[in-house]
Amino acid sequence: MALTAATHQPFLLTFNRHREGEIKDVVPGVHITPCFLDAEKGIWVIYARFEAGTVLPKHFHTGTVHFYTTAGSWNYVEYPDDVQTEGSYLFEPGGSVHTFSSKEGAEGFMVVEGSNVNFDENDNYLYIEDAGLIERVLHEVAKTTGQRMPRYIRPGRGAEFSE
């Protein structure tokens, strides 16, 4: 008996971030290539470039994060001695709280499950960042700045009955 796939793929879901490009300055100094955005399951996979001096808001993770640093260096303000450099892999459990900072600039690939709940420097709530918000913001920034929206993988939307 021949082995067959349970899910037929007429083509591979793959792209090259160098050819697809990125959305520049999604927030000042942060450039993002979306790879996979699934608002229903709360999963976002992105490649991000952070310019020197980037500091992001303090945030609480509702789910896990996998972050692989491909260039430069960065650390969490709360962990100044744990600097992530090229080749570093960081696992963050859900429930972690920290503030991203990169003095020299950094790049990396991240897989995030759930949301980031963002706070200002006085621990006041700012906003929730999830796959759906990221998708909307990327499209809006691309449209308003005249950038081409890179192609990315986006699973089907909406629940429906099976046949």
Side-chain angles (χ1 to χ4, degrees):
M1 174 182 226
L3 182 63
T4 59
T7 302
H8 174 71
Q9 279 186 253
F11 54 87
L12 292 178
L13 294 170
T14 183
F15 61 88
N16 184 304
R17 74 173 185 83
H18 296 291
R19 286 193 298 265
E20 289 301 321
E22 64 188 1
I23 299 298
K24 292 182 180 4
D25 291 312
V26 175
V27 295
V30 180
H31 317 294
I32 294 178
T33 300
C35 300
F36 179 94
L37 300 173
D38 187 341
E40 285 186 357
K41 291 185 180 171
I43 299 170
W44 33 300
V45 181
I46 62 172
Y47 188 87
R49 288 190 318 109
F50 304 96
E51 291 182 8
T54 298
V55 177
L56 298 178
K58 180 186 286 185
H59 54 277
F60 168 87
H61 287 285
T62 64
T64 61
V65 176
H66 303 267
F67 192 137
Y68 182 80
T69 304
T70 59
S73 68
W74 64 275
N75 66 281
Y76 288 128
V77 172
E78 297 80 5
Y79 304 94
D81 296 331
D82 289 327
V83 177
Q84 304 299 299
T85 58
E86 181 179 341
S88 296
Y89 164 75
L90 175 69
F91 172 77
E92 302 172 19
S96 60
V97 178
H98 39 246
T99 309
F100 177 95
S101 176
S102 179
K103 291 179 184 167
E104 72 173 55
E107 295 184 29
F109 177 80
M110 60 189 84
V111 177
V112 182
E113 297 176 330
S115 303
N116 288 0
V117 181
N118 292 280
F119 300 91
D120 68 14
E121 60 279 352
N122 296 315
D123 293 336
N124 296 306
Y125 169 79
L126 291 172
Y127 59 94
I128 294 175
E129 181 177 30
D130 62 10
L133 177 66
I134 289 169
E135 187 172 40
R136 288 190 306 276
V137 168
L138 289 173
H139 281 277
E140 185 61 30
V141 170
K143 181 180 175 183
T144 60
T145 61
Q147 298 180 65
R148 184 184 67 80
M149 184 66 197
R151 183 174 63 149
Y152 59 96
I153 298 166
R154 182 177 188 242
R157 299 283 184 160
E160 59 185 40
F161 287 107
S162 62
E163 295 193 25

